[in-house]
Amino acid sequence: MAVSLREYRARIKSTESMKKITRAMELIAASRIIKAQQRANAAAPYARELTRAVSAVATYSNVDHALTTEPASPDRAAVLVIASDRGLAGAYAANVLREAEGLVAKLQAEGKSVDLYVSGRKAEAYFKFRNRPVVKTWTGGSDQPTFEVAQEIGSTLIDAFLAGQELGAEGVHEVHLVSTRFLSMLRQEPQAVRLLPLEVVEGEAKPEPGDVLPLYEFEPSPEQVLDSLLPQYVVSRIWFSMLQAAASELAARQKAMKSATDNAQELIKKYTRIANQARQAGITQEISEIVGGVNALADATAAND
């Protein structure tokens, strides 16, 4: 019984240590998620206004640009997967990778070969374990992304797409992005969107009578404006997706660590209750043995008399 009691006390001690770790990680995630949300909210107006500007040029200028022209027979696509560098975030990385696998399967069903670009060690390890080739990987700082990395990713994907527009050149005809959209602290959804060729949504619908439309003047020409705006648009989309993914990762980690802390507390209560029962059983057994010994001694003394 004493050995069993020592085992439960050791389990209680190890569970308490685990609880301290998960509680600390929960607090760290909670402190960082506020800043991550603020960064995502601060980037949203720029991305929205840039989308409007690109929409105005692409819709009303009637200019055929390499980044907006649909290829005649696309047979190669690039998929950028934005995941996390670390685990302990619940099903965050698994959901993104599941969405990416669905997109890859869809593209392959359409007869397209897929080039993978990944951001985050979890995605890198996932495809490496399955012997899936990855063209390029970016790791480090998934919960605190930098704009320089977003620019590098955007430039790499744009170069691959422009190379695909040339005859006989190695490149891709489509670029897709798989990341996580932050909706709330309790809800984050994986999403797959096509970056290139650009699918401009705003400005396609005809204005209603009486609507006040923004006026744009293009200098020096719509072609050169598109040359300048479209790369910035792609980079801003990637940057905004990275910021939302960072907020989603921190929210998922906070939720997972809170659940782990609560489970550890329940385990401590359970082991404490069992240890108390074991201790009480041991005391009862010792008392029974003492009483039994006293009774035996009393009986022996009475027999001698």
Side-chain angles (χ1 to χ4, degrees):
M1 188 62 68
V3 175
S4 178
L5 182 58
R6 285 199 300 268
E7 290 178 354
Y8 284 124
R9 287 175 176 173
R11 292 182 182 181
I12 291 172
K13 186 176 180 180
S14 63
T15 307
E16 286 177 346
S17 300
M18 187 186 304
K19 177 185 173 183
K20 291 179 181 179
I21 296 174
T22 56
R23 177 60 176 169
M25 296 185 67
E26 176 189 351
L27 294 177
I28 292 173
S31 63
R32 289 181 177 178
I33 193 173
I34 302 300
K35 185 176 181 180
Q37 285 183 275
Q38 292 175 348
R39 295 179 71 188
N41 293 334
Y46 174 80
R48 182 171 56 250
E49 293 302 323
L50 186 58
T51 300
R52 291 179 178 176
V54 172
S55 300
V57 181
T59 304
Y60 299 112
S61 62
N62 296 323
V63 174
D64 292 331
H65 194 274
L67 298 182
T68 59
T69 303
E70 293 282 348
S73 56
D75 58 3
R76 195 177 189 89
V79 176
L80 171 63
V81 183
I82 300 179
S84 59
D85 286 317
R86 297 182 296 147
L88 300 178
Y92 168 76
N95 291 336
V96 176
L97 294 173
R98 189 182 301 112
E99 185 73 19
E101 287 287 13
L103 176 61
V104 170
K106 177 183 177 182
L107 293 174
Q108 291 177 344
E110 296 174 355
K112 302 172 185 175
S113 58
V114 177
D115 292 346
L116 290 171
Y117 297 79
V118 301
S119 173
R121 293 188 180 93
K122 283 295 181 180
E124 179 186 22
Y126 176 86
F127 293 113
K128 183 178 181 180
F129 179 77
R130 288 159 178 79
N131 295 322
R132 305 270 292 278
V134 175
V135 179
K136 193 168 183 179
T137 303
W138 295 269
T139 59
S142 64
D143 56 349
Q144 293 180 329
T146 60
F147 186 70
E148 289 75 17
V149 175
Q151 285 182 314
E152 181 182 351
I153 295 174
S155 299
T156 301
L157 294 177
I158 290 175
D159 291 343
F161 181 78
L162 293 178
Q165 306 299 310
E166 301 176 3
L167 295 177
E170 288 292 334
V172 298
H173 303 126
E174 294 179 0
V175 177
H176 299 263
L177 168 66
V178 181
S179 63
T180 306
R181 183 174 56 171
F182 181 85
L183 300 177
S184 67
M185 288 292 296
L186 300 176
R187 187 182 175 193
Q188 303 88 38
E189 292 183 351
Q191 62 176 356
V193 297
R194 196 181 81 169
L195 290 180
L196 297 174
L198 289 177
E199 294 178 329
V200 180
V201 177
E202 296 189 26
E204 291 184 353
K206 295 183 179 180
E208 298 292 335
D211 286 350
V212 178
L213 301 178
L215 299 178
Y216 293 95
E217 293 184 359
F218 307 120
E219 286 291 342
S221 66
E223 293 85 352
Q224 295 182 2
V225 172
L226 282 175
D227 289 339
S228 177
L229 282 182
L230 288 178
Q232 295 184 34
Y233 174 77
V234 174
V235 172
S236 70
R237 287 286 300 272
I238 295 175
W239 171 236
F240 186 62
S241 296
M242 293 176 67
L243 291 177
Q244 287 211 321
S248 300
E249 177 186 349
L250 291 171
R253 180 167 293 115
Q254 180 190 11
K255 183 180 178 181
M257 291 300 99
K258 185 180 186 306
S259 178
T261 303
D262 294 340
N263 292 337
Q265 182 62 33
E266 291 297 324
L267 279 177
I268 292 174
K269 291 180 181 179
K270 176 183 176 181
Y271 289 146
T272 301
R273 182 173 61 253
I274 296 176
N276 290 337
Q277 292 175 354
R279 181 174 59 85
Q280 292 171 1
I283 294 173
T284 303
Q285 183 177 356
E286 291 176 1
I287 293 175
S288 299
E289 292 174 354
I290 293 173
V291 172
V294 171
N295 292 335
L297 182 60
D299 294 340
T301 302
N304 291 331
D305 292 341

